[in-house]
Amino acid sequence: MIMTRDRTFTLAVDALKEAGLRPTRQRVQLLHLLRAGGNRHLSADDLAREAKKVGLSVSLATVYNALNQFTQSGLLREVVIAPGISYFDTNIGPHHHFYFEEERRLQDIPVDAVSVSDLPPAPMGTKVARVEVVIRLESEQK
């Protein structure tokens, strides 16, 4: 089923409202862009480039703010690869990742494809919220 532009923007507005965020024009446009391609992993720079390509006038600071707000409200997951290297994942369900180091690219791994056992006990007063595995890959030609 092909959705009209108006319907996809309505879905973005509804998602923002459900997440407790005010659906500003820029938030709606950015969330619409994020969700346009299905499940994806984007950096803030990637999203800013996409926004510019489609004619949206947003600063990189606005993109970072929106991504952080979307993450805090549960609309996205942030996957931190290293200091200064983060991707924002539109798939918020449980899963893990392959990280292709040369390509700087993430790929989803189904949650049931990875088994994690013998976790240490959580420190007093805390509980394990979730376990996320990132398997780093490099080419065999190194």
PDB file of all heavy atoms in Angstrom, residues 53-83:
ATOM      1  N   LYS A  53      19.358  17.463   1.283  1.00  0.00           N
ATOM      2  CA  LYS A  53      19.099  16.940  -0.059  1.00  0.00           C
ATOM      3  C   LYS A  53      17.635  17.112  -0.468  1.00  0.00           C
ATOM      4  O   LYS A  53      17.330  17.334  -1.636  1.00  0.00           O
ATOM      5  CB  LYS A  53      19.488  15.467  -0.124  1.00  0.00           C
ATOM      6  CG  LYS A  53      19.560  14.905  -1.525  1.00  0.00           C
ATOM      7  CD  LYS A  53      19.924  13.422  -1.533  1.00  0.00           C
ATOM      8  CE  LYS A  53      21.371  13.236  -1.165  1.00  0.00           C
ATOM      9  NZ  LYS A  53      21.817  11.830  -1.302  1.00  0.00           N
ATOM     10  N   VAL A  54      16.719  17.005   0.513  1.00  0.00           N
ATOM     11  CA  VAL A  54      15.293  17.152   0.193  1.00  0.00           C
ATOM     12  C   VAL A  54      14.782  18.574   0.438  1.00  0.00           C
ATOM     13  O   VAL A  54      13.590  18.820   0.392  1.00  0.00           O
ATOM     14  CB  VAL A  54      14.415  16.123   0.947  1.00  0.00           C
ATOM     15  CG1 VAL A  54      14.769  14.717   0.535  1.00  0.00           C
ATOM     16  CG2 VAL A  54      14.484  16.314   2.446  1.00  0.00           C
ATOM     17  N   GLY A  55      15.713  19.490   0.711  1.00  0.00           N
ATOM     18  CA  GLY A  55      15.340  20.893   0.828  1.00  0.00           C
ATOM     19  C   GLY A  55      14.901  21.354   2.197  1.00  0.00           C
ATOM     20  O   GLY A  55      14.312  22.435   2.317  1.00  0.00           O
ATOM     21  N   LEU A  56      15.170  20.581   3.250  1.00  0.00           N
ATOM     22  CA  LEU A  56      14.820  21.016   4.602  1.00  0.00           C
ATOM     23  C   LEU A  56      15.921  21.925   5.129  1.00  0.00           C
ATOM     24  O   LEU A  56      17.094  21.609   5.020  1.00  0.00           O
ATOM     25  CB  LEU A  56      14.666  19.826   5.548  1.00  0.00           C
ATOM     26  CG  LEU A  56      13.594  18.806   5.224  1.00  0.00           C
ATOM     27  CD1 LEU A  56      13.565  17.712   6.279  1.00  0.00           C
ATOM     28  CD2 LEU A  56      12.241  19.463   5.114  1.00  0.00           C
ATOM     29  N   SER A  57      15.522  22.993   5.709  1.00  0.00           N
ATOM     30  CA  SER A  57      16.475  23.939   6.274  1.00  0.00           C
ATOM     31  C   SER A  57      16.573  23.704   7.782  1.00  0.00           C
ATOM     32  O   SER A  57      15.775  24.244   8.554  1.00  0.00           O
ATOM     33  CB  SER A  57      16.025  25.370   5.981  1.00  0.00           C
ATOM     34  OG  SER A  57      16.911  26.281   6.570  1.00  0.00           O
ATOM     35  N   VAL A  58      17.524  22.860   8.182  1.00  0.00           N
ATOM     36  CA  VAL A  58      17.749  22.582   9.598  1.00  0.00           C
ATOM     37  C   VAL A  58      19.246  22.596   9.871  1.00  0.00           C
ATOM     38  O   VAL A  58      20.037  22.130   9.062  1.00  0.00           O
ATOM     39  CB  VAL A  58      17.150  21.224  10.054  1.00  0.00           C
ATOM     40  CG1 VAL A  58      15.643  21.241  10.018  1.00  0.00           C
ATOM     41  CG2 VAL A  58      17.679  20.082   9.238  1.00  0.00           C
ATOM     42  N   SER A  59      19.611  23.140  11.011  1.00  0.00           N
ATOM     43  CA  SER A  59      21.024  23.152  11.391  1.00  0.00           C
ATOM     44  C   SER A  59      21.416  21.791  11.946  1.00  0.00           C
ATOM     45  O   SER A  59      20.569  21.000  12.371  1.00  0.00           O
ATOM     46  CB  SER A  59      21.275  24.235  12.440  1.00  0.00           C
ATOM     47  OG  SER A  59      20.672  23.863  13.664  1.00  0.00           O
ATOM     48  N   LEU A  60      22.716  21.530  11.965  1.00  0.00           N
ATOM     49  CA  LEU A  60      23.210  20.276  12.548  1.00  0.00           C
ATOM     50  C   LEU A  60      22.849  20.215  14.034  1.00  0.00           C
ATOM     51  O   LEU A  60      22.507  19.148  14.550  1.00  0.00           O
ATOM     52  CB  LEU A  60      24.720  20.148  12.338  1.00  0.00           C
ATOM     53  CG  LEU A  60      25.346  18.819  12.740  1.00  0.00           C
ATOM     54  CD1 LEU A  60      24.690  17.640  12.047  1.00  0.00           C
ATOM     55  CD2 LEU A  60      26.847  18.831  12.462  1.00  0.00           C
ATOM     56  N   ALA A  61      22.877  21.344  14.717  1.00  0.00           N
ATOM     57  CA  ALA A  61      22.498  21.373  16.137  1.00  0.00           C
ATOM     58  C   ALA A  61      21.042  20.952  16.324  1.00  0.00           C
ATOM     59  O   ALA A  61      20.713  20.202  17.251  1.00  0.00           O
ATOM     60  CB  ALA A  61      22.727  22.767  16.722  1.00  0.00           C
ATOM     61  N   THR A  62      20.168  21.395  15.438  1.00  0.00           N
ATOM     62  CA  THR A  62      18.753  21.011  15.501  1.00  0.00           C
ATOM     63  C   THR A  62      18.597  19.513  15.269  1.00  0.00           C
ATOM     64  O   THR A  62      17.810  18.843  15.943  1.00  0.00           O
ATOM     65  CB  THR A  62      17.927  21.802  14.469  1.00  0.00           C
ATOM     66  OG1 THR A  62      18.017  23.197  14.796  1.00  0.00           O
ATOM     67  CG2 THR A  62      16.473  21.376  14.444  1.00  0.00           C
ATOM     68  N   VAL A  63      19.371  18.974  14.325  1.00  0.00           N
ATOM     69  CA  VAL A  63      19.324  17.539  14.055  1.00  0.00           C
ATOM     70  C   VAL A  63      19.761  16.766  15.294  1.00  0.00           C
ATOM     71  O   VAL A  63      19.091  15.817  15.721  1.00  0.00           O
ATOM     72  CB  VAL A  63      20.198  17.177  12.829  1.00  0.00           C
ATOM     73  CG1 VAL A  63      20.356  15.668  12.699  1.00  0.00           C
ATOM     74  CG2 VAL A  63      19.607  17.765  11.560  1.00  0.00           C
ATOM     75  N   TYR A  64      20.881  17.165  15.915  1.00  0.00           N
ATOM     76  CA  TYR A  64      21.350  16.500  17.137  1.00  0.00           C
ATOM     77  C   TYR A  64      20.295  16.579  18.240  1.00  0.00           C
ATOM     78  O   TYR A  64      20.023  15.587  18.919  1.00  0.00           O
ATOM     79  CB  TYR A  64      22.660  17.118  17.632  1.00  0.00           C
ATOM     80  CG  TYR A  64      23.891  16.488  17.060  1.00  0.00           C
ATOM     81  CD1 TYR A  64      24.626  17.126  16.073  1.00  0.00           C
ATOM     82  CD2 TYR A  64      24.341  15.248  17.507  1.00  0.00           C
ATOM     83  CE1 TYR A  64      25.773  16.548  15.540  1.00  0.00           C
ATOM     84  CE2 TYR A  64      25.474  14.662  16.984  1.00  0.00           C
ATOM     85  CZ  TYR A  64      26.186  15.321  16.003  1.00  0.00           C
ATOM     86  OH  TYR A  64      27.313  14.730  15.479  1.00  0.00           O
ATOM     87  N   ASN A  65      19.724  17.760  18.433  1.00  0.00           N
ATOM     88  CA  ASN A  65      18.702  17.926  19.474  1.00  0.00           C
ATOM     89  C   ASN A  65      17.513  17.010  19.220  1.00  0.00           C
ATOM     90  O   ASN A  65      17.013  16.350  20.139  1.00  0.00           O
ATOM     91  CB  ASN A  65      18.242  19.382  19.559  1.00  0.00           C
ATOM     92  CG  ASN A  65      19.274  20.281  20.189  1.00  0.00           C
ATOM     93  OD1 ASN A  65      20.150  19.834  20.922  1.00  0.00           O
ATOM     94  ND2 ASN A  65      19.188  21.569  19.892  1.00  0.00           N
ATOM     95  N   ALA A  66      17.053  16.975  17.980  1.00  0.00           N
ATOM     96  CA  ALA A  66      15.898  16.140  17.649  1.00  0.00           C
ATOM     97  C   ALA A  66      16.227  14.659  17.865  1.00  0.00           C
ATOM     98  O   ALA A  66      15.428  13.925  18.453  1.00  0.00           O
ATOM     99  CB  ALA A  66      15.463  16.384  16.212  1.00  0.00           C
ATOM    100  N   LEU A  67      17.396  14.216  17.411  1.00  0.00           N
ATOM    101  CA  LEU A  67      17.779  12.815  17.587  1.00  0.00           C
ATOM    102  C   LEU A  67      17.855  12.448  19.065  1.00  0.00           C
ATOM    103  O   LEU A  67      17.395  11.370  19.463  1.00  0.00           O
ATOM    104  CB  LEU A  67      19.110  12.531  16.893  1.00  0.00           C
ATOM    105  CG  LEU A  67      19.060  12.505  15.366  1.00  0.00           C
ATOM    106  CD1 LEU A  67      20.463  12.464  14.790  1.00  0.00           C
ATOM    107  CD2 LEU A  67      18.223  11.347  14.863  1.00  0.00           C
ATOM    108  N   ASN A  68      18.413  13.321  19.872  1.00  0.00           N
ATOM    109  CA  ASN A  68      18.479  13.059  21.312  1.00  0.00           C
ATOM    110  C   ASN A  68      17.088  13.008  21.933  1.00  0.00           C
ATOM    111  O   ASN A  68      16.802  12.148  22.768  1.00  0.00           O
ATOM    112  CB  ASN A  68      19.376  14.082  22.003  1.00  0.00           C
ATOM    113  CG  ASN A  68      20.834  13.856  21.679  1.00  0.00           C
ATOM    114  OD1 ASN A  68      21.285  12.722  21.541  1.00  0.00           O
ATOM    115  ND2 ASN A  68      21.592  14.926  21.549  1.00  0.00           N
ATOM    116  N   GLN A  69      16.207  13.905  21.523  1.00  0.00           N
ATOM    117  CA  GLN A  69      14.833  13.898  22.030  1.00  0.00           C
ATOM    118  C   GLN A  69      14.094  12.632  21.593  1.00  0.00           C
ATOM    119  O   GLN A  69      13.375  12.020  22.383  1.00  0.00           O
ATOM    120  CB  GLN A  69      14.082  15.143  21.552  1.00  0.00           C
ATOM    121  CG  GLN A  69      14.596  16.418  22.165  1.00  0.00           C
ATOM    122  CD  GLN A  69      14.127  17.658  21.420  1.00  0.00           C
ATOM    123  OE1 GLN A  69      13.571  17.583  20.327  1.00  0.00           O
ATOM    124  NE2 GLN A  69      14.379  18.818  22.014  1.00  0.00           N
ATOM    125  N   PHE A  70      14.286  12.236  20.332  1.00  0.00           N
ATOM    126  CA  PHE A  70      13.643  11.025  19.830  1.00  0.00           C
ATOM    127  C   PHE A  70      14.137   9.803  20.600  1.00  0.00           C
ATOM    128  O   PHE A  70      13.365   8.894  20.911  1.00  0.00           O
ATOM    129  CB  PHE A  70      13.914  10.830  18.336  1.00  0.00           C
ATOM    130  CG  PHE A  70      13.332  11.889  17.429  1.00  0.00           C
ATOM    131  CD1 PHE A  70      13.749  11.977  16.109  1.00  0.00           C
ATOM    132  CD2 PHE A  70      12.388  12.801  17.869  1.00  0.00           C
ATOM    133  CE1 PHE A  70      13.230  12.928  15.255  1.00  0.00           C
ATOM    134  CE2 PHE A  70      11.859  13.771  17.022  1.00  0.00           C
ATOM    135  CZ  PHE A  70      12.278  13.823  15.704  1.00  0.00           C
ATOM    136  N   THR A  71      15.427   9.778  20.910  1.00  0.00           N
ATOM    137  CA  THR A  71      16.002   8.655  21.652  1.00  0.00           C
ATOM    138  C   THR A  71      15.471   8.619  23.077  1.00  0.00           C
ATOM    139  O   THR A  71      15.042   7.572  23.568  1.00  0.00           O
ATOM    140  CB  THR A  71      17.541   8.747  21.644  1.00  0.00           C
ATOM    141  OG1 THR A  71      17.998   8.719  20.288  1.00  0.00           O
ATOM    142  CG2 THR A  71      18.170   7.600  22.411  1.00  0.00           C
ATOM    143  N   GLN A  72      15.475   9.762  23.747  1.00  0.00           N
ATOM    144  CA  GLN A  72      14.997   9.826  25.138  1.00  0.00           C
ATOM    145  C   GLN A  72      13.522   9.452  25.253  1.00  0.00           C
ATOM    146  O   GLN A  72      13.100   8.895  26.262  1.00  0.00           O
ATOM    147  CB  GLN A  72      15.243  11.215  25.713  1.00  0.00           C
ATOM    148  CG  GLN A  72      16.703  11.505  25.947  1.00  0.00           C
ATOM    149  CD  GLN A  72      16.962  12.971  26.305  1.00  0.00           C
ATOM    150  OE1 GLN A  72      16.059  13.788  26.358  1.00  0.00           O
ATOM    151  NE2 GLN A  72      18.227  13.286  26.526  1.00  0.00           N
ATOM    152  N   SER A  73      12.753   9.733  24.208  1.00  0.00           N
ATOM    153  CA  SER A  73      11.320   9.440  24.263  1.00  0.00           C
ATOM    154  C   SER A  73      10.978   8.045  23.728  1.00  0.00           C
ATOM    155  O   SER A  73       9.812   7.668  23.694  1.00  0.00           O
ATOM    156  CB  SER A  73      10.535  10.502  23.495  1.00  0.00           C
ATOM    157  OG  SER A  73      10.859  10.439  22.121  1.00  0.00           O
ATOM    158  N   GLY A  74      11.982   7.285  23.289  1.00  0.00           N
ATOM    159  CA  GLY A  74      11.749   5.917  22.851  1.00  0.00           C
ATOM    160  C   GLY A  74      11.425   5.743  21.380  1.00  0.00           C
ATOM    161  O   GLY A  74      11.085   4.639  20.952  1.00  0.00           O
ATOM    162  N   LEU A  75      11.549   6.796  20.589  1.00  0.00           N
ATOM    163  CA  LEU A  75      11.273   6.672  19.158  1.00  0.00           C
ATOM    164  C   LEU A  75      12.463   6.090  18.388  1.00  0.00           C
ATOM    165  O   LEU A  75      12.297   5.580  17.282  1.00  0.00           O
ATOM    166  CB  LEU A  75      10.918   8.043  18.564  1.00  0.00           C
ATOM    167  CG  LEU A  75       9.614   8.655  19.053  1.00  0.00           C
ATOM    168  CD1 LEU A  75       9.485  10.095  18.584  1.00  0.00           C
ATOM    169  CD2 LEU A  75       8.436   7.821  18.575  1.00  0.00           C
ATOM    170  N   LEU A  76      13.658   6.191  18.950  1.00  0.00           N
ATOM    171  CA  LEU A  76      14.893   5.691  18.348  1.00  0.00           C
ATOM    172  C   LEU A  76      15.736   5.027  19.417  1.00  0.00           C
ATOM    173  O   LEU A  76      15.523   5.259  20.604  1.00  0.00           O
ATOM    174  CB  LEU A  76      15.739   6.841  17.774  1.00  0.00           C
ATOM    175  CG  LEU A  76      15.236   7.652  16.620  1.00  0.00           C
ATOM    176  CD1 LEU A  76      16.216   8.776  16.316  1.00  0.00           C
ATOM    177  CD2 LEU A  76      15.043   6.790  15.394  1.00  0.00           C
ATOM    178  N   ARG A  77      16.732   4.262  18.979  1.00  0.00           N
ATOM    179  CA  ARG A  77      17.770   3.745  19.875  1.00  0.00           C
ATOM    180  C   ARG A  77      19.097   4.299  19.391  1.00  0.00           C
ATOM    181  O   ARG A  77      19.361   4.334  18.191  1.00  0.00           O
ATOM    182  CB  ARG A  77      17.837   2.222  19.810  1.00  0.00           C
ATOM    183  CG  ARG A  77      16.768   1.552  20.613  1.00  0.00           C
ATOM    184  CD  ARG A  77      16.776   0.053  20.500  1.00  0.00           C
ATOM    185  NE  ARG A  77      18.095  -0.545  20.693  1.00  0.00           N
ATOM    186  CZ  ARG A  77      18.369  -1.805  20.420  1.00  0.00           C
ATOM    187  NH1 ARG A  77      17.430  -2.593  19.921  1.00  0.00           N
ATOM    188  NH2 ARG A  77      19.567  -2.300  20.624  1.00  0.00           N
ATOM    189  N   GLU A  78      19.918   4.714  20.324  1.00  0.00           N
ATOM    190  CA  GLU A  78      21.262   5.157  19.973  1.00  0.00           C
ATOM    191  C   GLU A  78      22.217   3.982  20.160  1.00  0.00           C
ATOM    192  O   GLU A  78      22.193   3.308  21.191  1.00  0.00           O
ATOM    193  CB  GLU A  78      21.705   6.325  20.846  1.00  0.00           C
ATOM    194  CG  GLU A  78      23.073   6.854  20.463  1.00  0.00           C
ATOM    195  CD  GLU A  78      23.515   8.071  21.264  1.00  0.00           C
ATOM    196  OE1 GLU A  78      22.860   8.380  22.283  1.00  0.00           O
ATOM    197  OE2 GLU A  78      24.497   8.706  20.862  1.00  0.00           O
ATOM    198  N   VAL A  79      23.051   3.748  19.162  1.00  0.00           N
ATOM    199  CA  VAL A  79      24.070   2.716  19.232  1.00  0.00           C
ATOM    200  C   VAL A  79      25.418   3.439  19.220  1.00  0.00           C
ATOM    201  O   VAL A  79      25.794   4.043  18.217  1.00  0.00           O
ATOM    202  CB  VAL A  79      23.983   1.728  18.045  1.00  0.00           C
ATOM    203  CG1 VAL A  79      25.054   0.655  18.160  1.00  0.00           C
ATOM    204  CG2 VAL A  79      22.590   1.118  17.954  1.00  0.00           C
ATOM    205  N   VAL A  80      26.098   3.414  20.368  1.00  0.00           N
ATOM    206  CA  VAL A  80      27.389   4.091  20.493  1.00  0.00           C
ATOM    207  C   VAL A  80      28.478   3.091  20.123  1.00  0.00           C
ATOM    208  O   VAL A  80      28.610   2.049  20.758  1.00  0.00           O
ATOM    209  CB  VAL A  80      27.603   4.638  21.921  1.00  0.00           C
ATOM    210  CG1 VAL A  80      28.963   5.305  22.034  1.00  0.00           C
ATOM    211  CG2 VAL A  80      26.483   5.607  22.287  1.00  0.00           C
ATOM    212  N   ILE A  81      29.243   3.421  19.106  1.00  0.00           N
ATOM    213  CA  ILE A  81      30.309   2.549  18.618  1.00  0.00           C
ATOM    214  C   ILE A  81      31.630   2.892  19.307  1.00  0.00           C
ATOM    215  O   ILE A  81      32.402   2.020  19.679  1.00  0.00           O
ATOM    216  CB  ILE A  81      30.457   2.671  17.085  1.00  0.00           C
ATOM    217  CG1 ILE A  81      29.156   2.251  16.397  1.00  0.00           C
ATOM    218  CG2 ILE A  81      31.641   1.873  16.571  1.00  0.00           C
ATOM    219  CD1 ILE A  81      28.714   0.827  16.676  1.00  0.00           C
ATOM    220  N   ALA A  82      31.878   4.168  19.482  1.00  0.00           N
ATOM    221  CA  ALA A  82      33.101   4.678  20.118  1.00  0.00           C
ATOM    222  C   ALA A  82      32.827   6.130  20.462  1.00  0.00           C
ATOM    223  O   ALA A  82      31.843   6.710  19.989  1.00  0.00           O
ATOM    224  CB  ALA A  82      34.290   4.551  19.166  1.00  0.00           C
ATOM    225  N   PRO A  83      33.682   6.740  21.278  1.00  0.00           N
ATOM    226  CA  PRO A  83      33.472   8.168  21.556  1.00  0.00           C
ATOM    227  C   PRO A  83      33.377   8.960  20.255  1.00  0.00           C
ATOM    228  O   PRO A  83      34.236   8.839  19.379  1.00  0.00           O
ATOM    229  CB  PRO A  83      34.721   8.558  22.353  1.00  0.00           C
ATOM    230  CG  PRO A  83      35.175   7.275  22.987  1.00  0.00           C
ATOM    231  CD  PRO A  83      34.851   6.198  21.983  1.00  0.00           C
TER     232      PRO A  83
END
